[in-house]
Every structure is written in structure tokens, then in C-alpha cells.
Amino acid sequence: MTTESVRTSLFIGGSWRAPTSDSTLAVVSPVTEQTIGRVPAATTADVDAAVHAARLAFRGSGWRDLTPGERATHLHRFADELEARSEDRATTVTSENGMPIALARFAEGAAPVQLLRYYADLIEITPVEERRVSRPLPGTTVVRKEPIGVVAAIAPWNFPAVLSMFKIAPALAAGCTVVLKPSPETSLDSYVLAEAAEAAGLPAGVLNIVNGGADIGRHLVAHPGVDKVAFTGSTAAGREIGRICGELIRPVTLELGGKSAALVLDDADPEQTVAGLATASLLNTGQTCYMSTRILVPAGSYDSYLDAITGMCADLTIGDPMDENTAIGPLASARHRDRVLAMIERGRAEGATITTGGGTPAGIDRGFFVAPTVFGDVANTAAIAREEVFGPVLTVLRYRDLDEAIALANDSAYGLGGTVWTADTERGIDVARRIETGSFGVNYFNLDWGSPFGGVKASGIGRELGPEGLAAYQHLKSIFLAA
């Protein structure tokens, strides 16, 4: 019998409030397929209350008027409380979405703490104002950075803790207040976040959390009390949010899907490259937006690379995500597993060759598992090579020369990540410059808190992380002074 974690309140205005409805959302274990938790389903009235609380904290209680140092002090206290709960948060996320625990301890436990501290430090050294010499007439202009206001932050289920903090940390540092809507599949870990905020003494209404599905998300995005929207999720949902924000002339940051390419050059070390692709292409069981899932290899060494990639995927440990040795856990939900299996069948129907995987793993009779799958003999026009699968599914494609490889990499609706594998770092940087994408790795891929991350084309609008991520939550005001 699985013990359920039952939550009965919403975190709004710095306190735990009873929801205005008896409806609940079930959180289901992707390993056991049993319900492991329930949270209240917010209504539109609950969203209205959360936005009102955030608005009051922004304007009435004066969060925006605190000095950067005062806000930084709050954020450091918040980070300390979250750090004390990092193991709890990591294991909660793993139980919700099946993320391997070794990854969750960093991505969902440690990383949100690091982000809070990074932005707390950054806001203290970022000038609020600068003075510029006016042109063409003599005088001076004061250029001032001011917080945008109330932020609607909508987080996905694949990395719920850290991707929430991509939005919360810079928004709070800038002086904004936040209403967070977690994904229904991963609502439990946000309660750990709220408990840390409460214990840290974060002022009432600065952070509010409402649970719900797409209907609640739409109400929050279009709410007249919201000043900016920050969303991570699918391109389809991002397009809908973009349309709403466009109509409202509302600032929006959209971090969306990807179908990134790994360019394996003719001088790459095969063993190191294939080992690196295990992470660059399959992190979090492939449920990572920037994964290099289209692997482009020279035609002359195609067969050897296909064999090596097939062997790497076949050898990955599949199983209980709470096991430190597990590399491939379950997918996050039954619906998503079924979607990934349908994409595999579509690739098979298109004539591509499956060299390993192709369905559920042998010996596992429950849970939302999909075996790591490799497709060879794939055309770049095939759906399996063009559409985001968001699971442990790789395609291996041939190229004749470097120009063709770059053309194939750029022949995509997406532009979020990508990698190049080479013995010559400068050659790799030259390749990176030619790829139409928002981020790229040479013999490696990881995010840097101090550098911007985001996509081009159908992969999104705007940037998160780095000073650019802070600037996304600030308006610029010019104050003209006579000479």
C-alpha cells in the first residue's frame, strides 16, 4: 500500500489558505502507477486571490521599494531554508516524475539554492541607475531599471524545481512578485518550496502558488493583474500563451521545445564522443528540452558510430529512479509514455531501422518505462528526425561533408541546444557559430547560471539565466535632464 501525501491548502499571501473548491489533483508515481499524493485544484477565484496578494506585496507592502541589499538578504535566507530541504525536494521530484535520484539531487535539490544565491549576489552589484550624456542636445539622461511587477510563472514537469527557480530567483531579485503555477504532474515539490519561503520569512504575497491544469494557466496568463508571463513547456502551449500576451501587449518569456543536433566531426574520438552523448542526448531519460537527439555522423564512419551508439543505449541501467545506479527511469506519465511509443511506431512506419529498444523494456511489467531506442537509416525529412519526442529516442543520420552537416543541423523548426564533437576546440567553436540555435556545446553541454539560455525559431522568445535573465524582469525608464 502506497502512503499518499495529502495537501489541503494553497500558499497565498504568505499563509496557507483553504481552496474555494473541494476538487483535487492526483499525483501518480511513474514507477508504481499508484497515486502518491493529492493537492487542491485551484479555482479562478483562488488565482484572483493569489494575483491580488502579489499585487499588494509589490505596490502596497513595498517589495519593489526595498533596496537591492535588503532583497538580497531575503533571498539568502530563502536559499538557506531551501538548502536545508534539498534532499526532501530531490526525493519528492523523483517520486513525482521518475527523474534518476543522482540527477535530482543536483538539478532539483542543489541547483535552485545556487540560483537564489547567484541572483541575490547579482542584484547587489547591478546598478539601478546610470547617467548618460544626452545627444544631440547637451544634457544628461538618467537610465533607470525598475521591476516589471507581478509575474505569472508557469513551470513544467520535467525539471519542476530548478525551472521554477529560473523564474522566481531573478524576478524576486529584480523586485517583482510571483504567482507560480506548477505542472499538475509535479505539484508536491512546490509545497517544499512554499515551506522554505515561509520559514525564511519571505514577506507575505511575494511568492504565491496555485495548482491547476491548462484552464487555470490560461486564467493566470490573461489576468489583468499580471504584468509579465514566464513559461517553460511545449511549443504548442507556448504559441497559445504568446498569442494571449501579444493581444495584451504583455511581456513574455517562452522557453519551448527543441530537436537539437549533435555534429560528430571526422576528427572526434569515438569512445569519448559516444560516452558524452549518454548525457548530452539522454539526460533525465531524454525528457530535457535541449537534448542532442539528432546525431549527425560522417558517412564513412556511419556504421561504426551506429553500432557504438546502439551499444551505449543498450547498456544503460533502466529501473527504479531511487537507485543511485539508475540511468534511465520511467517517463513522467502514462499519457507521455504512450505519446513516445506512438512516435516510435511512426518512425518504424516511415522505414527507419530500430537497432535497439523500440518499446517497453523487457522484465519491467509496471511503470511508465520506455527502453532507450536508436533509429538508423533515417532521412532528415522523417517525423522521427524533425519532431520533438521528449524521451529516450535517438536518430543517427549520415552527412557527406561539414557544410552538409551544418545544413542538416539548421534544417529544423527548432533552435534551442546542440553539440559538436571534435578533437579541435577552435574548429568546434567555428561550427557553433554557424548553427542557428540559442545555446551550443563543444564536446559537452551544460547550463551556466551566469550565461543566457533560450531558443530561436520555434524554441522560444527571450532568455533566462545570467544578467540577461535578471533584465527580463526589469523595465527601462529614461529620465531626461536639461543641461
Side-chain angles (χ1 to χ4, degrees):
M1 179 71 69
T2 301
T3 302
E4 289 188 20
S5 173
V6 179
R7 300 287 191 160
T8 59
S9 303
L10 298 170
F11 188 67
I12 296 175
S15 63
W16 298 97
R17 298 191 187 184
T20 57
S21 166
D22 293 333
S23 297
T24 62
L25 300 171
V27 179
V28 176
S29 164
V31 177
T32 67
E33 304 185 35
Q34 295 181 323
T35 298
I36 58 171
R38 290 187 182 275
V39 300
T43 65
T44 56
D46 295 322
V47 173
D48 293 346
V51 173
H52 175 74
R55 197 115 224 115
L56 185 63
F58 179 68
R59 292 190 181 277
S61 301
W63 177 254
R64 67 173 180 172
D65 299 320
L66 296 181
T67 67
E70 289 169 333
R71 287 199 298 273
T73 297
H74 280 291
L75 295 189
H76 278 298
R77 288 176 186 155
F78 190 8
D80 291 344
E81 292 293 339
L82 206 53
E83 184 174 40
R85 295 162 175 79
S86 59
E87 179 68 11
D88 184 12
R89 195 141 193 232
T91 56
T92 299
V93 170
T94 294
S95 69
E96 292 174 309
N97 71 4
M99 179 184 295
I101 188 63
L103 172 62
R105 285 202 171 100
F106 170 71
E108 304 296 270
V113 176
Q114 294 175 4
L115 279 165
L116 274 171
R117 290 176 176 156
Y118 169 76
Y119 279 106
D121 293 340
L122 182 63
I123 196 63
E124 287 201 271
I125 63 171
T126 301
V128 174
E129 295 181 350
E130 65 170 293
R131 293 188 174 228
R132 302 179 186 177
V133 176
S134 298
R135 294 175 176 82
L137 300 177
T140 302
T141 299
V142 176
V143 179
R144 177 175 172 80
K145 299 173 183 176
E146 297 185 346
I148 284 178
V150 174
V151 174
I154 302 177
W157 48 256
N158 60 325
F159 286 87
V162 71
L163 292 178
S164 295
M165 199 55 72
F166 274 29
K167 300 153 184 55
I168 294 168
L172 297 191
C176 298
T177 56
V178 175
V179 178
L180 170 68
K181 192 197 84 66
S183 173
E185 291 87 351
T186 51
S187 297
L188 294 175
D189 69 279
S190 66
Y191 281 83
V192 184
L193 176 72
E195 288 164 358
E198 183 181 36
L202 201 65
V206 168
L207 175 63
N208 310 271
I209 304 175
V210 291
N211 310 309
D215 56 336
I216 290 301
R218 290 187 189 97
H219 185 70
L220 178 60
V221 166
H223 199 288
V226 165
D227 299 298
K228 177 186 168 68
V229 175
F231 170 80
T232 299
S234 72
T235 296
R239 286 194 172 103
E240 182 178 357
I241 291 170
R243 282 193 292 270
I244 294 170
C245 291
E247 178 67 26
L248 295 171
I249 319 296
R250 178 167 293 169
V252 62
T253 299
L254 301 173
E255 197 270 278
L256 308 177
K259 190 71 175 180
S260 303
L263 286 77
V264 181
L265 303 192
D266 53 12
D267 64 347
D269 180 281
E271 185 175 349
Q272 292 179 3
T273 296
V274 173
L277 288 171
T279 299
S281 301
L282 291 165
L283 185 74
N284 197 23
T285 315
Q287 297 171 118
T288 306
C289 51
Y290 55 73
M291 290 288 89
S292 295
T293 56
R294 291 188 297 144
I295 303 172
L296 311 180
V297 301
S301 52
Y302 180 83
D303 290 339
S304 62
Y305 267 110
L306 181 59
D307 288 345
I309 293 165
T310 297
M312 176 269 289
C313 287
D315 289 344
L316 293 171
T317 302
I318 307 170
D320 182 359
M322 289 294 184
D323 187 329
E324 295 281 354
N325 297 313
T326 294
I328 300 293
L331 299 187
S333 67
R335 180 177 65 177
H336 186 54
R337 174 203 57 194
D338 293 346
R339 179 188 174 279
V340 171
L341 289 174
M343 284 296 297
I344 291 172
E345 289 307 308
R346 189 172 177 185
R348 199 193 308 268
E350 290 174 322
T353 301
I354 294 177
T355 61
T356 189
T360 56
I364 299 179
D365 57 6
R366 70 172 179 173
F368 308 138
F369 290 89
V370 172
T373 299
V374 177
F375 280 96
D377 302 316
V378 184
N380 201 48
T381 54
I384 201 71
R386 301 193 72 80
E387 297 182 18
E388 184 176 41
V389 179
F390 218 62
V393 180
L394 308 181
T395 58
V396 185
L397 297 86
R398 296 178 178 85
Y399 69 83
R400 292 185 302 270
D401 56 35
L402 183 57
D403 285 343
E404 184 185 32
I406 291 169
L408 287 169
N410 288 335
D411 182 16
S412 173
Y414 298 100
L416 185 59
T419 52
V420 61
W421 304 84
T422 175
D424 185 341
T425 299
E426 290 304 315
R427 187 183 183 203
I429 294 172
D430 286 341
V431 169
R433 292 184 178 116
R434 297 175 64 186
I435 303 300
E436 298 164 358
T437 187
S439 62
F440 205 76
V442 179
N443 297 322
Y444 170 77
F445 191 99
N446 205 352
L447 300 186
D448 169 12
W449 302 156
S451 301
F453 172 70
V456 299
K457 299 190 280 189
S459 289
I461 297 172
R463 293 294 181 267
E464 296 184 306
L465 303 182
E468 294 80 5
L470 177 65
Y473 296 92
Q474 296 171 319
H475 283 308
L476 294 176
K477 176 188 290 183
S478 294
I479 304 171
F480 309 113
L481 308 178

